[in-house]
Amino acid sequence: MTAARRQARATAADELCREAYAASAGPVAGVALVAVGGYGRGELAPHSDLDVVLVHDDDVEIGELGSTLWYPLWDSGRRLDHSVRSMSQVLEAAADLRVALGLLDARHLAGDPGLTLRLRTTMLADWRRQARTRLPELKAMTHRRHDVTGELAHVSVPDVKESEGGLRDAGVLKAIEASWLVDASTPALEAARQMLLDVRDEVHDLAGRPSDRIAPEMWAPLGERLDLGDAEAAQRHVRSLGRRIGHLSRLAWRRTDAVMARPTGEKGRRTPALERIAPGIALSRGEVVLDAGTDPAADPTLLLRAAAEAAGRDAVLAPTTAARLVRDGAELPVPWPATARDALVRLLASGPGLLPVWETLDEIDGIETFLPEWEQIRLLPHASSIHRFTVDRHVVETCAEAGRLIRSVRRPDLLLVAALLHDIGKGSLHDHSVAGEPLARKIVARMGFSDLDAEVVASLVRWHLLLADLATTRDPDDPATIAELLTHVPDAASLELLRALTEADARAASPAAWTTWRASLVDRLASTAAHALGAEVARATPADPVPVPDAVRRDAGAVSVEVTPHEVGATVTVVAADRVGLLADVAGGLAALRVPVHAARAWAQVDADGEWGVSAWEVPDAYLDPSVVRERIRRVVEGTQRMPDLPARPDGELPPIVEVRPDASRASLVLEIRTSDRPGVVHRVLTTLADLGLTVASAHVSTLGPQAVDVFYVQEVGGVRPTEERAAAAAHAVRTALGG
């Protein structure tokens, strides 16, 4: 909108500088007046400084020109940032990163154009030659600035130039591209940058001085000047520009880091290698893309699965891939298939990988393909000053916080979906908790969860503020307080979920929203309510019988393996004569092949011929060879198979939780294990139990996001329930085996 005015200001300033140079009798050779920085780009705001450098060859004496040149410029009333340097002095000054960045935009004003061209060529060549040392320095300087100024998309008084996602970051992206290491400039970046320049022009006019900060009272007039309407529309516009530039900046730095990590002499392949990581999905140079030959229209779950793979690996979801899936992908059926639900949960639970992938989905309008209600809260400012983010970003931060609490609940999938939907009612004219309840119920049902699960999530959305409100405004020891809480929280599992959601919501809002004092009040009330409710664990449901092959009936040592492919992998069904350690041997065979286990179930079948151990394993590899699996199991039984080591628990990762559920079964000891989904976990647990001489009557292994939630019904040989001492010893042994 104001580009023509910017150009007019730059043209007028250029003419003023040329006249001053001529009036000072500036030479036409060996000396040049050069515009740098924003003036070099011709992007002058109403109150911008004129950044100029008088450059001369080392062997040229400029006499009084270095002082007389500036008087006409000062007399004009223009703000001036000037310097006088020889070519060698310019190169020395460019050791300062800020000086070097300004010189990348050098533009000739007056004097010797050949000298200006030589200066610009030298600076660009030096920048490219030193890119591997200067870019890390630039990244560190950029992060320090962000720490001070905050994000343009969220901070209450944003700076359109210095805040993260502001004009300074757009300039940094151009500097990254000038290094020739990464293609960081896109049409989307340039469009956002030009619109943010429009905003900056109007902010200067409104402030009447060179200020780039948008004070709260500026939003309404800014909306009028930009033909946006009201203050809220102006905020959404400016913050969306900041979010776009911030996202592009983070993406460019990820790609820059990837290039910098390669050895200097390494030659890139003309065609990037594809590493298949899931059906239809591959990894290429640290970015998640479609595998060769994948048809986006053939699988409606591809977008969610690709996003989950990228977030879980903390990799880049390639924007072109995501945009293609949005454009050409099939629409998700209603209700969603289980693979789509699982992908969403894994995405929400992915920790630090969630935000960049979610930003990519947001930028290409991908979120609306599976959650159209998102548009209602997108870039919506919070009414409460305690919130540090817009509503949509707060929701993503709440999911990230909830991901750190999944060990504390029995249904981490419901916790994460409730975190995603807890503020979905905002933007309406009603109380957001009340408005969000029916929306959440409808969305969760559309996702294919059961009616009971939908009610649980809807209730969590409706009452997500209740626990904190009661804990901070009522006496937690008063029976009336407990009674009011339990009116809306029917069981211990729901209380676990509400407690975790309360903490995640508060932590995502701001540090002040979750203090030690506030946490102690919430914990006290939750503990009292839990005592009043007691605790129960759902009992295992019997499995459907599986036919026992004749070969297994004839040979006590035979093992039957069947692989049944499906749309996202295969089910591996194993049948053999039941014995202590059978399940551990099967898990060992799969671990030896490095086959990830997404879910598993094991049980015993009894008929006239004997007792059979049956297990069904969900794996991602649809082309698994049954004979190879059978051979690996045989080697494990014989002790000739070398097993891969269980990966060490990374620093900062949540420790495993191993709990005994004494009330869950009268016939068995029930061990519930929540730990990170690492290769070999199931084998390690089952081997530990077998070494203790314990049998597994049934097993229920599932992966919910990055967490494995495994429940084992354990007995002594002969079907006797283990004693409390044996139960404690088993839990301790498993915990130790998992590195807890």
Side-chain angles (χ1 to χ4, degrees):
M1 293 177 64
T2 61
R5 281 180 271 166
R6 284 194 294 278
Q7 185 59 53
R9 284 190 289 270
T11 300
D14 290 354
E15 186 61 30
L16 181 65
C17 289
R18 293 189 186 102
E19 290 174 355
Y21 190 85
S24 301
V28 295
V31 182
L33 184 61
V34 180
V36 297
Y39 181 29
R41 295 188 298 272
E43 295 169 352
L44 289 179
H47 297 279
S48 290
D49 294 351
L50 300 184
D51 294 335
V52 292
V53 182
L54 184 64
V55 185
H56 60 89
D57 279 322
D58 289 2
D59 58 353
V60 172
E61 294 292 335
I62 60 173
E64 295 297 317
L65 178 63
S67 57
T68 59
L69 172 63
W70 314 121
Y71 289 106
L73 301 178
W74 286 327
D75 292 342
S76 71
R78 299 303 301 260
R79 298 169 59 92
L80 192 64
D81 186 351
H82 65 286
S83 61
V84 180
R85 291 191 174 101
S86 67
M87 272 291 287
S88 60
Q89 289 173 333
V90 169
L91 297 179
E92 290 174 6
D96 184 319
L97 189 56
R98 292 176 178 82
V99 174
L101 292 173
L103 289 169
L104 291 178
D105 294 307
R107 180 171 61 86
H108 183 71
L109 293 174
D112 186 350
L115 180 59
T116 302
L117 178 61
R118 185 153 36 98
L119 169 66
R120 181 173 174 81
T121 303
T122 301
M123 289 309 306
L124 284 170
D126 282 355
W127 180 253
R128 287 160 187 157
R129 186 175 61 255
Q130 302 174 34
R132 288 183 175 271
T133 57
R134 308 232 64 178
L135 287 180
E137 183 185 352
L138 176 58
K139 183 180 181 181
M141 185 177 76
T142 299
H143 284 172
R144 288 194 298 269
R145 172 169 51 82
H146 292 168
D147 290 341
V148 173
T149 59
E151 291 186 59
L152 177 57
H154 305 292
V155 71
S156 58
V157 182
D159 187 311
V160 295
K161 182 177 181 182
E162 302 293 346
S163 289
E164 182 177 357
L167 290 168
R168 183 78 72 187
D169 278 356
V172 166
L173 289 177
K174 288 183 172 291
I176 293 175
E177 185 170 53
S179 71
W180 286 0
L181 290 180
V182 174
D183 185 6
S185 185
T186 66
L189 170 66
E190 185 57 24
R193 194 179 72 86
Q194 289 295 330
M195 287 187 278
L196 207 52
L197 285 169
D198 293 343
V199 173
R200 186 191 183 202
D201 287 352
E202 300 299 351
V203 170
H204 271 219
D205 265 346
L206 287 169
R209 55 191 176 86
S211 172
D212 300 316
R213 292 166 63 85
I214 306 178
E217 65 272 12
M218 286 185 177
W219 288 114
L222 193 60
E224 294 176 4
R225 285 168 171 257
L226 295 173
D227 292 335
L228 296 171
D230 57 13
E232 181 178 318
Q235 280 210 54
R236 284 180 180 257
H237 175 69
V238 173
R239 297 188 188 282
S240 69
L241 296 175
R243 179 174 292 182
R244 178 163 298 147
I245 293 174
H247 169 64
L248 293 172
S249 175
R250 286 185 285 272
L251 181 63
W253 279 118
R254 290 283 296 263
R255 289 172 168 170
T256 301
D257 290 344
V259 171
M260 301 274 284
R262 298 175 196 161
T264 307
E266 180 181 312
K267 294 183 179 180
R269 292 166 51 109
R270 188 176 297 275
T271 303
L274 293 176
E275 176 193 349
R276 185 174 182 270
I277 56 176
I281 301 169
L283 193 65
S284 174
R285 291 181 177 174
E287 300 193 10
V288 171
V289 298
L290 291 182
D291 199 3
T294 300
D295 179 8
D299 182 356
T301 71
L302 265 175
L303 179 63
L304 278 171
R305 291 197 296 110
E309 290 292 340
R313 298 167 183 270
D314 197 15
V316 172
L317 175 60
T320 52
T321 294
R324 183 186 174 196
L325 288 171
V326 171
R327 183 182 67 249
D328 302 333
E331 185 176 340
L332 275 169
V334 177
W336 291 8
T339 49
R341 285 196 307 278
D342 176 69
L344 176 65
V345 171
R346 287 192 292 120
L347 171 62
L348 298 178
S350 54
L354 171 61
L355 179 59
V357 170
W358 197 268
E359 286 181 335
T360 297
L361 293 173
D362 192 37
E363 281 299 313
I364 50 93
D365 296 327
I367 299 173
E368 286 77 4
T369 64
F370 59 87
L371 187 60
E373 295 83 0
W374 186 257
E375 186 60 30
Q376 180 171 306
I377 62 170
R378 187 175 185 273
L379 288 165
L380 181 67
H382 258 116
S384 170
S385 59
I386 199 171
H387 283 278
R388 53 182 168 164
F389 297 118
T390 53
V391 174
D392 57 342
R393 172 66 179 276
H394 167 75
V395 165
V396 178
E397 294 288 339
T398 302
C399 292
E401 294 291 345
R404 299 184 178 95
L405 301 172
I406 55 178
R407 296 281 196 277
S408 65
V409 299
R410 280 165 269 184
R411 288 296 302 273
D413 52 341
L414 298 188
L415 171 62
L416 292 162
V417 173
L420 176 66
L421 301 178
H422 78 282
D423 276 351
I424 200 67
K426 288 191 172 178
S428 70
L429 300 178
H430 305 287
D431 180 295
H432 76 280
S433 299
V434 176
E437 180 183 12
L439 276 176
R441 184 180 293 107
K442 181 182 73 173
I443 293 168
V444 175
R446 186 172 71 223
M447 290 176 176
F449 286 92
S450 68
D451 291 344
L452 179 59
D453 288 346
E455 285 302 321
V456 170
V457 174
S459 178
L460 287 170
V461 171
R462 173 64 182 89
W463 302 110
H464 72 273
L465 300 175
L466 178 65
L467 186 57
D469 287 345
L470 291 177
T472 55
T473 62
R474 302 276 290 275
D475 180 359
D477 296 322
D478 189 333
T481 304
I482 303 301
E484 182 172 348
L485 176 60
L486 297 186
T487 299
H488 308 295
V489 182
D491 52 54
S494 296
L495 182 62
E496 285 179 353
L497 291 167
L498 182 60
R499 165 62 182 80
L501 180 59
T502 299
E503 179 176 346
D505 187 18
R507 286 186 181 277
S510 71
W514 190 253
T515 61
T516 303
W517 169 80
R518 191 179 183 90
S520 68
L521 293 178
V522 168
D523 283 340
R524 183 178 175 185
L525 178 56
S527 177
T528 305
H531 181 73
L533 282 169
E536 291 185 6
V537 176
R539 301 183 186 278
T541 56
D544 294 331
V546 171
V548 179
D550 291 340
V552 174
R553 293 182 183 276
R554 290 192 301 267
D555 182 357
V559 176
S560 167
V561 178
E562 291 186 3
V563 177
T564 307
H566 49 67
E567 66 273 13
V568 291
T571 301
V572 180
T573 304
V574 181
V575 182
D578 203 10
R579 57 177 172 79
V580 176
L582 170 63
L583 205 55
D585 293 340
V586 176
L590 293 173
L593 291 170
R594 301 186 184 277
V595 175
V597 176
H598 289 169
R601 194 169 184 193
W603 63 97
Q605 287 183 192
V606 180
D607 60 23
D609 293 333
E611 188 170 342
W612 315 104
V614 184
S615 56
W617 309 75
E618 295 297 327
V619 301
D621 190 351
Y623 303 100
L624 202 58
D625 187 336
S627 63
V628 173
V629 177
R630 190 182 306 111
E631 175 62 17
R632 292 304 172 97
I633 294 173
R634 184 189 65 78
R635 292 183 188 177
V636 172
V637 173
E638 294 176 349
T640 59
Q641 175 63 54
R642 185 179 183 277
M643 299 303 300
D645 294 331
L646 183 68
R649 183 159 57 91
D651 292 339
E653 183 182 280
L654 296 171
I657 300 294
V658 181
E659 294 182 336
V660 176
R661 298 293 187 185
D663 300 326
S665 172
R666 294 181 180 179
S668 302
L669 159 69
V670 176
L671 279 182
E672 182 174 315
I673 301 166
R674 304 173 202 160
T675 187
S676 296
D677 181 29
R678 291 178 288 161
V681 165
V682 177
H683 175 247
R684 179 65 61 88
V685 172
L686 292 169
T687 300
T688 302
L689 294 175
D691 289 344
L692 292 173
L694 295 171
T695 64
V696 177
S698 69
H700 311 267
V701 176
S702 60
T703 302
L704 297 172
Q707 174 168 269
V709 181
D710 304 337
V711 178
F712 300 95
Y713 284 66
V714 181
Q715 296 177 342
E716 301 283 6
V717 176
V720 179
R721 190 180 194 274
T723 64
E724 290 184 5
E725 291 77 9
R726 286 276 279 169
H732 176 73
V734 170
R735 193 178 298 112
T736 302
L738 295 178

